[in-house]
Amino acid sequence: MIIGLTGKNGAGKGEVAKYLQDRGFCYYSLSDVLREEAQKEGLAVSREVLVEMGNRLRRDLGPGALAEKIFSRLDPEKHYVIDSVRHPNEIQVLRRRSDFLLANVKAPERLRFERLRQRAREKDPVTFEEFLALEKREAVSENASDQQLDRAISMADVTLENTGPIKMLHDQVKEVLLDFSKKQNRPDWDEYFMGIAKVVALRSNCIKRKVAAVITKEKRIIATGYNGTPRGVKNCSEGGCPRCNAIDSSGKGLDECLCSHAEENAIVQSAYHGVCIKDSVLYTTFSPCLMCTKMIINAGIREVVFNVQYPMSETSLHLLRAAGVSIKQLPTASL
């Protein structure tokens, strides 16, 4: 999951980030992107420099530029906390991940000012009036590429009130994590196995089209296959199939193609290793051709789940239905 943090100066975003880091979350701050850019330009890092740098990057590269730089570094297998989210377009970029949640850390003005005074960073406002003036400058701007903190805060999914003992803040974060984890979208079994089939397709050595099939039984994989030249024959991508290497139009010269199909390979591999596939489910990235369809039926496979319909598969689908084999097409957007 990805927890984004927004909020006013001194609200306690750093404390929330530290709490999450202690619990295995990887930390990124959009401000760190600005520091990197400032250092590249040989500029002394200060709050004024970072704000100006952020406004310039958003103006030159787009309002979501800072988030784009961080987004490209995110590993889907890790949890992240991303600090200093201050612009609506940054939020839009991060929301491309369904596991993103934006938290606004909130505290009263006077309390936040006292916290800033206690941390005593260089160039932090000294008087309450200076503090309020800084807040106003950072909250809103008529320039769409400038920092828009108030608008970012209004887009938060949850608000964390940081007005009491630190344990109260930590308890709120814990509650948010537990609630958010319950809402995480897990792929269903069809999406899960089709996702694996898409990875298997990367092993294909055919230069015309990469296709893969996964055969499952009782929700476990018992065989996989991808298209390519037969065992012991030079790979298609190395010139092993003259038809494919001629780069002919799709559908032309199929009777001369030396490549075995993904479904064919998955079924043959099962026979080769003595694995029974009767009453199994076959997942394939493309709907099967007529030859593979006949093999599927005679092998006793009870269901075929496919992603993209092969251009010449109407006869195959009709034959599968006639033989009592269930057919299901998964929406591409769900994968």
Side-chain angles (χ1 to χ4, degrees), residues 75-137:
D75 184 336
E77 297 180 359
K78 296 179 181 178
H79 291 323
Y80 290 93
V81 54
I82 301 178
D83 199 0
S84 305
V85 181
R86 297 189 175 97
H87 196 283
N89 286 73
E90 295 167 352
I91 299 168
Q92 290 174 7
V93 169
L94 296 171
R95 286 205 197 283
R96 296 207 302 255
R97 286 279 296 263
S98 62
D99 52 357
F100 174 75
L101 177 141
L102 182 65
N104 169 36
V105 188
K106 183 179 179 182
E109 291 174 342
R110 281 286 180 183
L111 179 56
R112 292 189 288 106
F113 174 62
E114 290 302 322
R115 288 173 181 164
L116 260 62
R117 289 185 61 189
Q118 290 173 17
R119 77 184 185 186
R121 289 182 184 172
E122 187 179 358
K123 296 190 177 182
D124 269 348
V126 177
T127 67
F128 187 59
E129 288 70 25
E130 291 175 348
F131 172 77
L132 292 179
L134 175 65
E135 295 262 290
K136 186 175 180 180
R137 288 196 302 271

Side-chain angles (χ1 to χ4, degrees), residues 143-169:
N143 190 329
S145 62
D146 285 355
Q147 183 172 298
Q148 305 281 347
L149 187 54
D150 279 358
R151 288 179 59 201
I153 289 173
S154 71
M155 296 170 69
D157 300 296
V158 296
T159 296
L160 305 172
E161 297 282 352
N162 186 20
T163 57
I166 198 66
K167 185 179 183 303
M168 288 180 59
L169 179 62

Side-chain angles (χ1 to χ4, degrees), residues 213-224:
V214 171
I215 300 177
T216 71
K217 202 168 187 178
E218 297 177 351
K219 295 184 174 60
R220 61 186 178 89
I221 295 173
I222 57 176
T224 65

Side-chain angles (χ1 to χ4, degrees), residues 169-239:
L169 179 62
H170 291 171
D171 287 345
Q172 292 177 71
V173 178
K174 182 178 179 180
E175 184 177 345
V176 167
L177 292 180
L178 292 173
D179 183 60
F180 191 42
S181 65
K182 295 174 185 175
K183 299 175 182 177
Q184 294 292 291
N185 291 325
R186 298 173 64 200
D188 62 26
W189 287 108
D190 286 341
E191 293 169 333
Y192 173 70
F193 289 125
M194 188 64 75
I196 293 173
K198 288 187 165 223
V199 174
V200 174
L202 299 177
R203 282 287 301 167
S204 168
N205 66 69
C206 181
I207 66 172
K208 291 284 284 184
R209 192 194 305 267
K210 294 184 181 295
V211 184
V214 171
I215 300 177
T216 71
K217 202 168 187 178
E218 297 177 351
K219 295 184 174 60
R220 61 186 178 89
I221 295 173
I222 57 176
T224 65
Y226 50 84
N227 61 324
T229 48
R231 188 193 308 273
V233 177
K234 185 187 295 185
N235 287 336
C236 177
S237 55
E238 297 170 336

Side-chain angles (χ1 to χ4, degrees), residues 250-267:
S250 295
K252 183 179 178 182
L254 294 177
D255 57 336
E256 299 175 0
C257 183
L258 302 185
C259 291
S260 298
H261 292 188
E263 303 93 330
E264 174 187 3
N265 272 334
I267 293 170

Side-chain angles (χ1 to χ4, degrees), residues 9 31 34 46-59 66 86 134 137-138 145-147:
N9 294 323
S31 294
L34 301 178
S46 67
R47 187 171 192 86
E48 290 77 9
V49 167
L50 295 182
V51 170
E52 174 55 32
M53 178 71 69
N55 291 343
R56 176 155 59 88
L57 288 177
R58 283 187 287 263
R59 182 177 62 249
L66 302 183
R86 297 189 175 97
L134 175 65
R137 288 196 302 271
E138 296 187 354
S145 62
D146 285 355
Q147 183 172 298

